[in-house]
Amino acid sequence: MQMKSYWLDTSPPFVSASDALPEGKCDVLVVGGGITGSAAALALARKGARVVVCEAGIVGGAASGRNGGMCNNGFAQDYAALSQRLGRECADRLYRAFDAGVDTVERLVREEAIDCSFARYGKLKLAAKPAHYDRLARSHALLAAGVDPHTRLLSRAQLREELGTDHYHGALLMEKSAGMHVGRYVRGLAQAAQRRGACYLEHNPVLGLQRQAGAYVVRTSLGTLRAGQVLLASGISQVGPFGWIRRRIVPVGAFLIVTAPLPPALMAQLLPTARMCTDTRNFVNYFRATPDHRLLFGGRARFAASNPRSDARSGEILHRQMLSVFPMLADLPIEYCWGGMVDMTADRLPRAGQRDGLFYSMGYSGHGTHMATLMGTMMADIMEGRADLNPWKDFPWPAIPGHFGKPWFLPFVGAWYRLKDRLQ
Ligand SMILES: Cc1cc2nc3c(=O)[nH]c(=O)nc-3n(C[C@H](O)[C@H](O)[C@H](O)COP(=O)(O)OP(=O)(O)OC[C@H]3O[C@@H](n4cnc5c(N)ncnc54)[C@H](O)[C@@H]3O)c2cc1C
């Protein structure tokens, strides 16, 4: 078994055309070469800006190349509950922003000819308990009559046509959701930005930022550069002078395993409609087929950080969970296991904007493949003065009480969610 991201292992590497900082001042310096940073770099370069992307590791090496490759429209949380909390008008506006995220991925894949198997497979939100089905039914009634007629409620019997297991109690089908090979996507996005003139410097963390005469002096490990504007597309960044952000984002581990390729007949039995699947638990499980017919099975497994030991332990838990859903896979080897850190906010909604002259976009809370694409693209306009476009502009972002950068409280949050999963 390989302890690395299947997506990064099965996509052509990104090849940077530069190994030194460019001469003179750049228009925009982007911190981070994930989906947010590369979507922004592409949009900015298309506008003719001189863009430099500084990436601490490799392009797509963090969450962007380590996720489930699902572009699921809708929210991480229950639509009915969120629209009650935010008001229907606001919830629908945000819902449309997630739809626009999937549309933006689809458009960029087409325009930049990114070969990443993007397709609108649809998503099944699977009821893990009978009561969860009732909750899905309430959300469906509101969605179907309003913001998303492309949704269907499937009873347990109807679900049989979509899934080769009796593990779940029905589902909400969201037809606009998509899936892709996210390694090929994030690297393709960066390659497209580079083709259009963006300069990428990998293994080059931003270590310091200073404002000077209307510009930023940016200290990186390769030297110092002047930039007119700076965009933080740095996810859960643990490097650099970003304490303000670290007090607002909670890095939460998430883990994945990928099986050996399945015989076509067995795959057709398990996932005949090839949907993206996720369940309703807080300790969520999600699964899908990869483009080369393996089963990817992921989840929170435990509230823990991702590191090689933790990934291996979580992989064992996920394997047991996978077999409880699909016992017929008992003899199928697991070929990949890895983990990553999800950039969670307290309310599981993203944040983007400007603070003290610095622009930022992050906190996608597990719904980032498409929202990072939308926000990266949109930041190019927001940085030109179009703050009105920003769907998250009215959302305050207070620091999380007691959070100083290391999430010491995660085991307690984990225990609370485990209890909730048991009781609800
Ligand atoms: C295991 C897992 C599964 C997930 N599954 C899904 C899914 O199926 N669907 C979905 O929509 N979302 C999913 N997500 C969330 C999604 O992957 C993220 O929201 C999205 O990739 C965030 O992109 P980003 O570019 O903002 O951040 P990242 O991909 O984290 O990129 C930030 C980059 O900034 C760099 N950086 C940080 N600090 C510095 C610095 N000081 N200097 C230079 N560079 C720096 C980092 O090295 C990193 O490469 C998942 C996430 C994880 C971890």
Side-chain angles (χ1 to χ4, degrees), residues 357-412:
L358 281 177
F359 290 89
Y360 61 87
S361 181
M362 54 197 60
Y364 311 111
S365 304
H367 267 45
T369 56
H370 45 320
M371 187 45 76
T373 305
L374 177 76
M375 289 313 301
T377 306
M378 201 180 263
M379 288 314 288
D381 294 325
I382 293 172
M383 293 171 85
E384 276 185 340
R386 294 296 315 274
D388 57 301
L389 295 175
N390 181 359
W392 313 106
K393 65 180 185 303
D394 299 326
F395 284 75
W397 202 14
I400 295 171
H403 182 28
F404 303 106
K406 290 259 181 277
W408 55 268
F409 44 84
L410 273 188
F412 304 103

Side-chain angles (χ1 to χ4, degrees), residues 185-214:
Y185 175 66
V186 63
R187 287 170 161 172
L189 209 53
Q191 219 63 262
Q194 183 170 258
R195 248 189 341 259
R196 286 170 186 271
C199 166
Y200 272 76
L201 294 158
E202 295 182 294
H203 305 292
N204 185 35
V206 168
L207 303 169
L209 283 171
Q210 227 186 331
R211 230 170 158 174
Q212 229 177 56

Side-chain angles (χ1 to χ4, degrees), residues 169-289:
H169 301 268
L172 175 60
L173 169 61
M174 307 180 75
E175 290 171 340
K176 286 185 284 188
S177 292
M180 61 180 164
H181 187 308
V182 78
R184 287 177 172 273
Y185 175 66
V186 63
R187 287 170 161 172
L189 209 53
Q191 219 63 262
Q194 183 170 258
R195 248 189 341 259
R196 286 170 186 271
C199 166
Y200 272 76
L201 294 158
E202 295 182 294
H203 305 292
N204 185 35
V206 168
L207 303 169
L209 283 171
Q210 227 186 331
R211 230 170 158 174
Q212 229 177 56
Y216 280 93
V217 178
V218 186
R219 186 164 58 82
T220 77
S221 65
L222 285 175
T224 298
L225 183 74
R226 280 172 66 77
Q229 292 180 308
V230 174
L231 170 64
L232 303 184
S234 44
I236 60 133
S237 179
Q238 302 298 305
V239 199
F242 310 126
W244 186 81
I245 281 166
R246 284 197 274 273
R247 288 190 292 278
R248 285 159 173 81
I249 295 256
V250 182
V252 177
F255 308 91
L256 296 102
I257 52 175
V258 166
T259 66
L262 271 69
L266 183 55
M267 186 54 102
Q269 188 192 330
L270 258 51
L271 292 170
T273 46
R275 309 286 191 200
M276 305 290 111
C277 297
T278 124
D279 76 18
T280 47
R281 269 186 279 256
N282 291 299
F283 269 80
V284 64
N285 277 141
Y286 48 90
F287 49 91
R288 57 167 290 187

Side-chain angles (χ1 to χ4, degrees), residues 138-160:
R138 277 195 294 278
S139 280
H140 173 252
L142 292 172
L143 285 169
V147 71
D148 195 351
H150 301 276
T151 47
R152 276 194 286 143
L153 192 66
L154 304 178
S155 66
R156 195 173 190 167
Q158 289 167 317
L159 189 56
R160 230 22 203 109

